[in-house]
Amino acid sequence: MKTIAIDFETANEQRGSACSVGLAWIEEGRVTRVEERLIRPRDMRFSGMNIAIHGIRPEHVEDAPEFPEVMDEFHDDIRGATMIAHNAAFDFSVWRASLDLYRQSYPELTYLCSLKMAQRIWPHFLSHRLNLIAEHLGLRFKHHNAAEDAAVCAAAAIEMAKVVKANAVHAIPALIGMKPGRLTAQAYEPCTCRKG
């Protein structure tokens, strides 16, 4: 079972303005590969607030490929994978909005939200932001760099699997009352947790 953490950064407040993607592959309880790609948004409008968050400017992406070409590189990896993102509602809205912008169909996959998992597994944490989880796990990283965010998301998911004694990250939902999200060519279903 393939499990891949994913993180997007956006150029502005529009969800379809992805300017960077990071992916981290989880195999046999460890991160085995991390990739980052810059993306040239169709609309090259970068907001000052977004630049302040991730540091990516228009000149950094002017020669980068657009979203379809970037994601096509990972098509075979993603197909049939369990994807995971920290605050998956955001990352999957970026993915869907970008696919919609280019009139492309959605890939077929299952996904998990490591933020929802952390809230369930570590309820005593004052915050479940990725940087604070990284601090708890003793991980140093550059927050809002897509590759580093994906790698920390993956590392946190691996640690959460150990905490709940799951044999793999994709087995966590059944142990914590989580319903994985689904993306299909026809539909989108959010990742949810049972109350209580």
Side-chain angles (χ1 to χ4, degrees), residues 22-136:
L23 301 103
W25 282 253
I26 301 169
E27 294 176 47
E28 297 179 3
R30 60 191 187 90
V31 177
T32 57
R33 174 183 168 198
V34 178
E35 299 281 352
E36 179 186 15
R37 298 290 182 273
L38 291 175
I39 300 168
R40 186 174 76 249
R42 180 178 274 182
D43 174 8
M44 284 286 281
R45 181 175 61 84
F46 279 68
S47 82
M49 188 164 77
N50 290 55
I51 291 171
I53 289 169
H54 52 56
I56 301 170
R57 299 177 173 277
E59 58 268 26
H60 297 145
V61 302
E62 60 190 2
D63 296 324
E66 291 189 37
F67 189 89
E69 188 180 341
V70 170
M71 295 308 289
D72 193 52
E73 178 186 347
F74 304 109
H75 177 268
D76 290 342
D77 292 294
I78 289 167
R79 187 177 54 226
T82 296
M83 304 297 293
I84 185 166
H86 202 74
N87 190 14
F90 171 79
D91 294 285
F92 279 82
S93 70
V94 170
W95 200 342
R96 287 170 22 241
S98 299
L99 290 168
D100 291 345
L101 183 66
Y102 289 96
R103 294 185 166 85
Q104 292 197 308
S105 60
Y106 297 167
E108 301 263 342
L109 55 86
T110 300
Y111 75 90
L112 309 175
C113 178
S114 59
L115 172 62
K116 289 181 185 295
M117 286 165 35
Q119 289 168 338
R120 189 56 69 96
I121 293 168
W122 292 313
H124 56 286
F125 284 15
L126 296 177
S127 169
H128 297 88
R129 291 171 52 107
L130 192 60
N131 58 325
L132 295 174
I133 289 174
E135 192 178 298
H136 168 76

Side-chain angles (χ1 to χ4, degrees), residues 149-161:
D149 282 4
V152 168
C153 171
I158 291 165
E159 186 60 30
M160 285 188 268

Side-chain angles (χ1 to χ4, degrees), residues 1 3 12 19-20 22-23 41 49 108 118 151 168-169 184 191:
M1 176 70 76
T3 304
N12 57 57
C19 61
S20 158
L23 301 103
M49 188 164 77
E108 301 263 342
V169 170
T184 70
C191 177

